Amino acid sequence: MKAIRPSIRCLLAVAVVTILNACAGMSGQQKSTAIGAGAGAVAGAVLTGGSGVGTVGGAVVGGVIGNEIKK
């Protein structure tokens, strides 16, 4: 497996910092919804072999569950 080039690694680091900074002003319920959507998207992609429909479906289900947990 090839190593990630430094320019891509830098771009990923900037993206992560930007995303984390955007979450700073969120309420607990909003953070929980976002985390649930992210986890659901990953789970949906894994379970369906990378299907776009499975990824989106997992994100929706995970977001709803995350939203309901923090109510």
Side-chain angles (χ1 to χ4, degrees):
M1 189 154 130
K2 289 186 177 180
I4 299 176
R5 287 188 271 165
S7 59
I8 293 175
R9 201 175 319 158
C10 181
L11 212 99
L12 287 172
V14 169
V16 167
V17 169
T18 302
I19 290 168
L20 291 175
N21 191 32
C23 294
M26 289 182 163
S27 70
Q29 186 174 11
Q30 290 170 328
K31 287 179 187 177
S32 183
T33 302
I35 291 169
V42 170
V46 169
L47 292 173
T48 62
S51 163
V53 173
T55 304
V56 171
V60 169
V61 171
V64 169
I65 292 171
N67 186 26
E68 292 299 316
I69 287 174
K70 275 292 188 174
K71 274 193 173 179

